[in-house]
Amino acid sequence: MSSELTQIRMIDWDRARMSRPFKRVAVLGAGTMGSQIAAHLANAGVSVLLLDIAPDNIAPNDAAPQDGNNPNAIVESGFNKMLRLRPNPLFTTATAKRIQLGNFDSNFDDLANVDWVIEAVLERRDVKESVMQRLEQVTGSSTVISSNTSGIPIEDLGKGRSDAFRARFLGTHFFNPPRYLPLLELVPTKDTDWDVVERVASFSRIHLGKGVVLAKDSPYFIGNRVGIYSMLVAMREQSSGGYTIEEIDTLSGTLVGRPKSATFRTADVVGLDVMKSVIDNLYEAVPNDESRELFKVPEFLNQLIEAGHLGSKTNSGFYQKAGGEILSFDLNTNSYQSAAELNLPALSELKNQRGLGNRLRALFDSTSRSGKFFKRTILETMAYAARRIPEIADSPADVDRAIRWGFGWRLGPFETWDVLGFERVVDAMNEAQIDFPDWVQGMSDDGQNSFYDSSTDPPTVFIPIEQTRIETKPPDDERSLTLLRGVPGRTVWESPDAALMDMGEGVVLFEFRTKANTLGAGVISGLLDAIDRIEGDPNIRGMVIGNEGSNFSVGANLGEVAAALLEGKFATVEEAVQRFQAAIQRVRYAQKPVVVAVHQRVLGGACELLLAAPSSVAAAESYIGLVELGVGLIPAGTGSTRLAAMASKNAPNGFDNEIQASLGRYFEQVAMARVSTSAREAQEMGYLPSQASIVMRPERRFEVAKQEVIRLSLAGYLSPVESDLITVLGSPGRAALEVMAYQFHQGRFISDYDFRLARELAKVLTGGDLPGSTSVDESYLLDLEREVFMSLLGEKKTQERIRHILEHNKPLRN
């Protein structure tokens, strides 16, 4: 790598936000990464030009293809492979239309008209250097050029180019898959204009939703250097520690705040051949790394690759699915075997530790096999991360962010170190004879007992090369609720289930804090109280509803429903449903603006809350749907009423056939319990209004929602009119929906009981037993949806479904 490591400056996010966004971006190379980078740029609304080489037997430029072959064959092949990937790289099917395909022979000159070119061609130095030479000849003087390489020095790729070219050239290392992994490592050289760095950083954060980290031009930058090391340390325990594949994945997954795929499943997803290539390249690239010998491909990995077991893409790697069973590769027999029972006797006790910090400390202290594995592997990883500073980054915070955003850890290595106790870790490393750098010992000698200091406002992090602390606050529009909770006087009201907090500037936030953020009685009572407060306080402009849970909400609290049913308290349940409806209606018709800010799963009752909200903000990765039929019920928290009202409103001329078209679409979505795969798709489905703000960076949703409350308040907010009548279609419309349900049933898309439920849904959506098209008010439909909901609660199969999902967290199709 580059012999001179560039010292990284801090990004001024306020200044960067003023940079011009990119409108047209080109991606060179339609391989796995290039095609998915193009897809995510299209997700952001950018016009994308995706180019790759033309086949060898294609005539150059505009000449006719020889033998009738397609000059875009290679780029089209890569593009079509991208379209088949799951999870989907694209937000919607229509998004793909933003990507224009071309080839290097016919379309390279078109790069003169783009704002940013991202090179993602074959990972060969000569190929990339040739591309850079051509780019300098074609692109405009303000066009930003970046490379997605992780194995070739960015500095080297700019050699031989003019000063003007190098000023607009940098590394942009996306993580795979680009839509779902937020990490983007920006790698400027000493020649890169800082305005270019901040422009790319700001665009990537706001428009692509990226967590941007500034990395140094060192081998494999930050994420892969530390992340791959951590995986190899864990894999080593298979041979040196006598742990099975399943045991290692159990101990390196969700238990310690890492993805469920853990170590070996992650390798299968990445591809064992790809992982081998990365490890081999890393070994060659780091001749002076004191831990270089670890970057040798484990022999068992070579064995699997030689046998053609490459991971998920060959349906066999470390794991293989056979029928309904997941087998794992036994290195002793060189065959796939059923999983053996875990020899981790203390595991259940460790799992019961509440909170990640407590669980990590318990593991660190445990002398069990589980504890010994964790202590060995985490000490090695933390020490290695410390030894890489300042080679890969100047700040421990950048290392932590890279591992969190690129590998899905909840805590990075230095954050974990602080949680375990700075001095305890230092002592444990000394005892285990694990080397750590002098600057860590210096911290210890000086009485610095943590990398992060959260007692200051804003928090700070220790910077070794400067022997000082600097602010580590996120951009102002990404301030977390955790920081808000820590400010005295910000909590207006709180209970075990919910809280109302002061966001500043006259805006409050209602946060629910239940398990999975379910909407139980405590949350509903809190919501009604919160609306009373904002309407009665002249100093409050309005309210945001949101939270920082793994999901916005999975819906109503079925546990409360099941408990009441067990005691035969149907009247209690009906009162709760009516109160739920009342709370949702209060949100819709509040006298001050209420903005719902959602993210991740927004299901059932949470979707009904979103449908009712006059204004909303959604993280792009929001998965929204009315899934009540899966538990034997229909939407009855105003959801069925809202769908009927939307279908009526969508009819431009008020004709029955226009209403039927919209209603049929909504009916199919609910009957099939369909959930959107993105916020954009939720807009297509009608679950998210077309005027809703969608933020690519989920951390920004609170600030965007807050500003929307302020905007609505300043404009002179008026709530929706309650007196609008809804046209329902009565028996003819109901019959049409029942025909649809019959077709679903005959096609075996739904079960017998699903068919029954769909007919009940059709009844509500069309107004019950009315003879024909009729105008009704909301209260009529609210009563009807509640009546049908309660009747279904008495059904044995509905009760079986509720019990099953509570016990197994999976729907039952009985």
Side-chain angles (χ1 to χ4, degrees):
M1 278 292 172
S2 173
S3 58
E4 182 181 347
L5 296 175
T6 306
Q7 186 167 324
I8 303 299
R9 291 169 55 183
M10 299 277 291
I11 292 173
D12 182 338
W13 289 110
D14 288 336
R15 194 174 84 107
R17 192 160 39 195
M18 306 306 292
S19 303
R20 286 181 299 118
F22 298 102
K23 296 183 66 176
R24 185 165 170 77
V25 180
V27 179
L28 308 185
T32 300
M33 283 304 295
S35 60
Q36 289 190 80
I37 292 169
H40 197 51
L41 287 161
N43 288 335
V46 174
S47 295
V48 185
L49 177 62
L50 178 61
L51 303 183
D52 211 318
I53 59 173
D56 290 341
N57 62 339
I58 299 298
N61 300 321
D62 297 326
Q66 298 174 14
D67 303 323
N69 287 332
N70 178 8
N72 283 345
I74 293 175
V75 70
E76 287 176 3
S77 174
F79 179 77
N80 290 329
K81 285 179 181 177
M82 178 272 293
L83 294 178
R84 294 192 295 270
L85 288 174
R86 293 296 177 270
N88 199 333
L90 295 164
F91 285 165
T92 68
T93 302
T95 303
K97 296 177 182 177
R98 296 196 184 102
I99 303 174
Q100 175 190 343
L101 306 183
N103 63 82
F104 284 10
D105 290 345
S106 304
N107 304 102
F108 208 86
D109 287 348
D110 294 345
L111 299 177
N113 301 314
V114 303
D115 304 319
W116 180 13
V117 178
I118 301 173
E119 173 272 305
V121 301
L122 189 66
E123 194 72 1
R124 266 178 41 188
R125 185 188 300 257
D126 60 331
V127 173
K128 291 180 182 291
E129 288 175 346
S130 173
V131 168
M132 295 303 160
Q133 184 177 14
R134 291 188 67 183
L135 283 172
E136 183 168 22
Q137 296 168 354
V138 170
T139 56
S141 60
S142 62
T143 302
V144 174
I145 313 291
S146 70
S147 173
N148 188 57
T149 185
S150 62
I152 301 173
I154 302 300
E155 187 89 25
D156 288 1
L157 293 180
K159 285 181 179 177
R161 309 276 64 82
S162 66
D163 291 347
F165 180 94
R166 293 199 304 274
R168 53 192 173 96
F169 176 62
L170 73 165
T172 50
H173 183 225
F174 291 80
F175 268 57
N176 188 21
R179 172 181 168 182
Y180 298 98
L181 282 181
L183 179 60
L184 175 65
E185 294 173 316
L186 288 192
V187 191
T189 72
K190 64 179 184 299
D191 298 314
T192 309
D193 188 315
W194 200 251
D195 287 340
V196 169
V197 174
E198 292 194 333
R199 184 183 181 193
V200 174
S202 179
F203 181 85
S204 299
R205 184 180 75 87
I206 294 174
H207 298 279
L208 299 181
K210 291 300 171 188
V212 177
V213 170
L214 288 170
K216 293 189 177 181
D217 194 3
S218 58
Y220 284 82
F221 310 131
I222 303 173
N224 279 336
R225 186 74 172 275
V226 177
I228 295 296
Y229 180 90
S230 176
M231 290 181 68
L232 290 171
V233 165
M235 285 182 174
R236 185 182 60 190
E237 291 290 323
Q238 196 277 333
S239 54
S240 66
Y243 293 83
T244 66
I245 286 174
E246 291 88 354
E247 287 171 345
I248 291 172
D249 273 355
T250 298
L251 296 173
S252 61
T254 55
L255 179 73
V256 292
R258 300 178 196 172
K260 187 178 180 180
S261 56
T263 300
F264 291 104
R265 283 189 179 88
T266 295
D268 276 354
V269 171
V270 170
L272 304 193
D273 53 337
V274 174
M275 188 160 186
K276 170 181 165 57
S277 176
V278 171
I279 296 169
D280 283 339
N281 290 339
L282 246 174
Y283 182 81
E284 293 300 323
V286 291
N288 299 318
D289 189 320
E290 76 292 327
S291 302
R292 185 189 188 207
E293 290 307 302
L294 189 76
F295 292 113
K296 282 186 174 179
V297 178
E299 188 52 38
F300 57 77
L301 185 58
N302 282 323
Q303 290 175 18
L304 284 165
I305 294 170
E306 288 168 6
H309 303 306
L310 304 182
S312 300
K313 57 189 170 188
T314 60
N315 298 314
S316 63
F318 288 109
Y319 293 95
Q320 181 185 67
K321 189 171 184 178
E325 186 180 9
I326 303 294
L327 309 177
S328 61
F329 194 77
D330 188 320
L331 299 176
N332 297 318
T333 63
N334 285 331
S335 63
Y336 288 93
Q337 304 287 334
S338 298
E341 185 175 345
L342 298 177
N343 179 23
L344 302 173
L347 184 62
S348 58
E349 180 183 339
L350 291 164
K351 279 184 175 179
N352 289 333
Q353 293 288 329
R354 297 195 57 157
L356 178 59
N358 289 333
R359 198 157 59 246
L360 294 180
R361 285 187 287 269
L363 273 163
F364 195 74
D365 291 338
S366 175
T367 57
S368 66
R369 291 186 80 236
S370 300
K372 288 177 180 177
F373 173 91
F374 174 71
K375 191 169 188 176
R376 277 196 300 268
T377 56
I378 197 62
L379 285 175
E380 292 276 13
T381 300
M382 291 186 296
Y384 184 76
R387 293 195 300 268
R388 297 282 67 77
I389 291 178
E391 179 192 350
I392 61 175
D394 288 329
S395 170
D398 282 334
V399 176
D400 283 341
R401 291 174 187 133
I403 296 301
R404 281 194 281 111
W405 294 336
F407 283 78
W409 295 19
R410 286 174 59 188
L411 295 173
F414 295 102
E415 291 165 324
T416 301
W417 195 324
D418 276 358
V419 163
L420 295 175
F422 181 83
E423 287 297 342
R424 293 179 68 229
V425 170
V426 170
D427 291 344
M429 287 179 179
N430 281 324
E431 183 180 346
Q433 296 184 328
I434 296 173
D435 292 334
F436 52 84
D438 291 342
W439 64 264
V440 171
Q441 186 61 55
M443 285 181 66
S444 179
D445 295 342
D446 292 342
Q448 302 264 11
N449 58 7
S450 66
F451 296 101
Y452 295 91
D453 185 354
S454 57
S455 66
T456 60
D457 184 20
T460 60
V461 65
F462 185 77
I463 304 298
I465 61 172
E466 297 179 4
Q467 291 292 298
T468 188
R469 292 183 176 273
I470 64 168
E471 293 181 0
T472 184
K473 66 176 183 177
D476 287 344
D477 58 354
E478 290 187 22
R479 293 298 180 93
S480 70
L481 300 188
T482 304
L483 290 176
L484 194 62
R485 290 189 209 102
V487 179
R490 289 285 190 168
T491 301
V492 178
W493 164 92
E494 67 179 332
S495 74
D497 292 341
L500 190 67
M501 294 187 294
D502 181 3
M503 299 180 77
E505 299 182 80
V507 181
V508 293
L509 180 135
F510 181 76
E511 175 192 24
F512 16 100
R513 299 174 175 177
T514 52
K515 184 178 181 180
N517 287 325
T518 53
L519 305 176
V523 172
I524 295 304
S525 293
L527 182 56
L528 288 166
D529 181 68
I531 294 174
D532 285 341
R533 285 172 181 264
I534 68 167
E535 289 183 336
D537 190 335
N539 297 312
I540 297 178
R541 296 176 183 269
M543 181 170 75
V544 174
I545 299 176
N547 61 72
E548 286 184 314
S550 299
N551 300 292
F552 176 76
S553 173
V554 296
N557 189 329
L558 288 176
E560 292 180 351
V561 174
L565 290 179
L566 196 62
E567 298 177 14
K569 296 181 177 179
F570 280 82
T572 300
V573 176
E574 184 165 11
E575 288 174 9
V577 175
Q578 193 165 11
R579 190 167 170 81
F580 192 105
Q581 290 178 323
I584 302 300
Q585 290 290 87
R586 286 293 306 279
V587 168
R588 181 167 182 79
Y589 297 114
Q591 296 170 23
K592 292 183 179 180
V594 176
V595 178
V596 176
V598 301
H599 68 289
Q600 290 295 309
R601 289 192 290 175
V602 188
L603 304 179
C607 180
E608 294 177 290
L609 172 62
L610 180 63
L611 282 168
S615 298
S616 49
V617 174
E621 298 300 338
S622 293
Y623 315 119
I624 304 169
L626 294 168
V627 296
E628 285 84 350
L629 267 71
V631 291
L633 299 167
I634 66 160
T638 77
S640 296
T641 297
R642 201 69 58 214
L643 293 180
M646 287 161 54
S648 175
K649 187 176 181 180
N650 289 345
N653 302 298
F655 297 152
D656 287 2
N657 64 326
E658 294 173 334
I659 296 173
Q660 187 76 54
S662 285
L663 204 59
R665 182 164 62 97
Y666 298 144
F667 174 75
E668 179 179 350
Q669 290 170 183
V670 180
M672 304 293 283
R674 187 179 162 209
V675 176
S676 75
T677 58
S678 69
R680 291 291 178 199
E681 187 178 48
Q683 287 182 318
E684 293 183 353
M685 296 169 69
Y687 288 157
L688 185 67
S690 58
Q691 72 272 18
S693 297
I694 294 178
V695 292
M696 297 288 278
R697 182 88 177 130
E699 290 84 348
R700 299 184 64 240
R701 65 189 183 277
F702 299 114
E703 182 63 22
V704 172
K706 173 186 171 181
Q707 295 303 323
E708 178 66 4
V709 169
I710 294 172
R711 184 190 71 81
L712 290 168
S713 176
L714 288 173
Y717 180 73
L718 290 175
S719 63
V721 178
E722 293 188 56
S723 60
D724 282 354
L725 294 176
I726 300 165
T727 301
V728 292
L729 299 179
S731 297
R734 178 176 174 182
L737 295 183
E738 288 181 343
V739 168
M740 291 178 64
Y742 176 77
Q743 292 171 337
F744 301 153
H745 184 245
Q746 290 300 107
R748 298 186 177 180
F749 295 109
I750 60 176
S751 68
D752 292 346
Y753 194 54
D754 288 328
F755 181 39
R756 157 80 193 285
L757 296 169
R759 294 176 67 189
E760 293 295 320
L761 174 65
K763 173 183 175 180
V764 176
L765 292 179
T766 55
D769 297 324
L770 299 172
S773 179
T774 308
S775 293
V776 299
D777 59 21
E778 284 187 349
S779 62
Y780 173 87
L781 287 174
L782 291 172
D783 290 344
L784 181 59
E785 70 176 21
R786 189 172 65 253
E787 174 191 320
V788 171
F789 180 94
M790 292 306 302
S791 70
L792 291 173
L793 267 183
E795 296 287 340
K796 179 183 177 182
K797 288 191 174 182
T798 288
Q799 294 177 12
E800 288 173 350
R801 288 190 175 195
I802 292 173
R803 188 162 52 249
H804 189 274
I805 201 161
L806 288 173
E807 292 175 356
H808 304 284
N809 200 29
K810 292 180 181 178
L812 172 69
R813 292 296 185 190
N814 54 355

